[in-house]
Amino acid sequence: MSSSSRIRPVRRAAQIAAVTAVAVVIVLVIGFLVDNFAASRAEHRVAVAVEESPRVDFEPEVTLGGFPFVTRAGDGRFPSMSISARGVTITGCGDRGACTATVDARLDDVTTGDVWNVGATTPIHAGAITAETRIDSVNLGRLMGITDLYINTPAPEGKAGGGGPGDGLLERTDGIMLSGTVPYPDSPEYEHGLPPSASGYTAPKVKISVSARVFVVDGLVHVEATGLYDGPEDHYSADVPPEFRAHILKRFSSVLPPLPMAWSTVPDKALSRGSDLIVAGNNDQRIVKPVDYSTVAAQGD
């Protein structure tokens, strides 16, 4: 027998193995894509149900944890569910325009029942719920009556370049920097309909940065300015007369109105994260309904 005749079966076996491997990969890829498509449709179903909540004006982002999805869809048991609803209305801004927040929630050990039948009033069982409400600088400024307010989370002292890609977003409860323009005592809130930040506002005013801390008491978020900011971060400084400093700090201090939290979770923590104010709270095992997602947080006694 020639050497070439002996090689042919070996090549044929290798070809069959290669074709089989390619076929298996194709089947796995198709299965993965089908599973992802099914999960996205189910997530959309839950998002539409949450959108029935009165303050939710836009379809939220929903992510169901666990793979493969199709094996979990029937009984609706998932290790986690994440929801993020943007543009949720906050009351209490008065004549300063509409205020909104992003209302987030993470549910662990979730049972929805048949996920394809989830509706606005479907009971969802959760082993634990972590809720966060995020307020950006613009909306925090409206709530505090400072049109150009900006919140910033400085890096800790001695940590140059803090907040880089390796650190993620910095978080602080104290030493937060707030910047904005406020009127001096006896200056009007508005001049000819213009706020102090407008160039057409000519009454005495100051653009300044202050240090502040945030905390929660009885479900309400307190913002308390503690001094003029003089740290290394880029900031606004001005020669504020000593007799006006208490007034300036008071203008940068506020008790915010009750805020919407996922499923009425009572907030117990506030902090800054990057350029957002974060209000957070936790719940133990609960049964919730999508239609009740965005409600004002209950206040303590």
Side-chain angles (χ1 to χ4, degrees), residues 214-222 267-270 279-280:
V214 292
F215 54 95
V216 176
V217 177
D218 293 336
L220 295 178
V221 177
H222 292 241
D268 57 17
K269 180 173 63 174
V279 187

Side-chain angles (χ1 to χ4, degrees), residues 183-272:
Y184 274 126
D186 300 325
S187 293
E189 289 296 315
Y190 292 91
E191 187 179 56
H192 309 300
L194 299 174
S197 58
S199 59
Y201 184 101
T202 60
K205 62 182 181 180
V206 63
K207 188 165 190 174
I208 195 75
S209 297
V210 303
S211 292
R213 67 187 187 107
V214 292
F215 54 95
V216 176
V217 177
D218 293 336
L220 295 178
V221 177
H222 292 241
V223 181
E224 181 182 86
T226 56
L228 302 183
Y229 183 81
D230 59 358
E233 299 286 334
D234 289 339
H235 63 283
Y236 297 99
S237 59
D239 187 15
V240 178
E243 63 270 23
F244 292 160
R245 291 187 180 180
H247 169 83
I248 298 301
L249 296 180
K250 185 176 181 180
R251 292 305 307 261
F252 280 95
S253 301
S254 180
V255 179
L256 303 186
L259 300 172
M261 296 283 289
W263 289 299
S264 299
T265 301
V266 179
D268 57 17
K269 180 173 63 174
L271 53 92
S272 67

Side-chain angles (χ1 to χ4, degrees), residues 1 16 64 79 90 106 152 159 165 209 230 248 259 274 289:
M1 181 182 294
I16 292 172
L64 293 167
I90 304 174
R106 176 186 168 90
N152 186 33
K159 187 174 183 180
S209 297
D230 59 358
I248 298 301
L259 300 172
K289 296 179 180 179

Side-chain angles (χ1 to χ4, degrees), residues 37-223:
F37 178 77
S40 68
R41 299 310 301 164
E43 289 164 352
H44 171 69
R45 178 88 184 187
V46 176
V48 169
V50 173
E51 195 176 359
E52 293 295 316
S53 188
R55 293 170 179 251
V56 180
D57 296 328
F58 308 98
E59 183 176 315
E61 298 175 10
V62 175
T63 302
L64 293 167
F67 180 84
F69 168 81
V70 292
T71 62
R72 303 173 181 273
D75 60 5
R77 293 182 180 274
F78 303 96
S80 65
M81 177 191 294
S82 297
I83 302 172
S84 182
R86 300 179 182 274
V88 176
T89 303
I90 304 174
T91 58
C93 286
D95 60 354
R96 295 183 291 276
C99 292
T100 61
T102 298
V103 177
D104 296 337
R106 176 186 168 90
L107 293 75
D108 295 312
D109 299 325
V110 180
T111 302
T112 64
D114 185 352
V115 73
W116 304 112
N117 291 323
V118 170
T121 58
T122 300
I124 296 176
H125 299 247
I129 298 176
T130 301
E132 284 192 355
T133 293
R134 290 184 284 142
I135 305 172
D136 63 20
S137 295
V138 172
N139 287 286
L140 181 60
R142 289 173 179 170
L143 287 168
M144 296 180 64
I146 303 174
T147 306
D148 61 339
L149 184 135
Y150 183 76
I151 182 172
N152 186 33
T153 306
E157 291 184 14
K159 187 174 183 180
D167 296 318
L169 290 175
L170 294 171
E171 296 181 350
R172 298 190 74 149
T173 58
D174 202 349
I176 300 164
M177 186 172 75
L178 300 177
S179 302
T181 307
V182 295
Y184 274 126
D186 300 325
S187 293
E189 289 296 315
Y190 292 91
E191 187 179 56
H192 309 300
L194 299 174
S197 58
S199 59
Y201 184 101
T202 60
K205 62 182 181 180
V206 63
K207 188 165 190 174
I208 195 75
S209 297
V210 303
S211 292
R213 67 187 187 107
V214 292
F215 54 95
V216 176
V217 177
D218 293 336
L220 295 178
V221 177
H222 292 241
V223 181

Side-chain angles (χ1 to χ4, degrees), residues 267-287:
D268 57 17
K269 180 173 63 174
L271 53 92
S272 67
R273 180 185 298 151
S275 58
D276 293 330
L277 174 69
I278 307 296
V279 187
N282 296 277
N283 272 318
D284 293 330
Q285 185 174 13
R286 288 188 62 187
I287 299 176

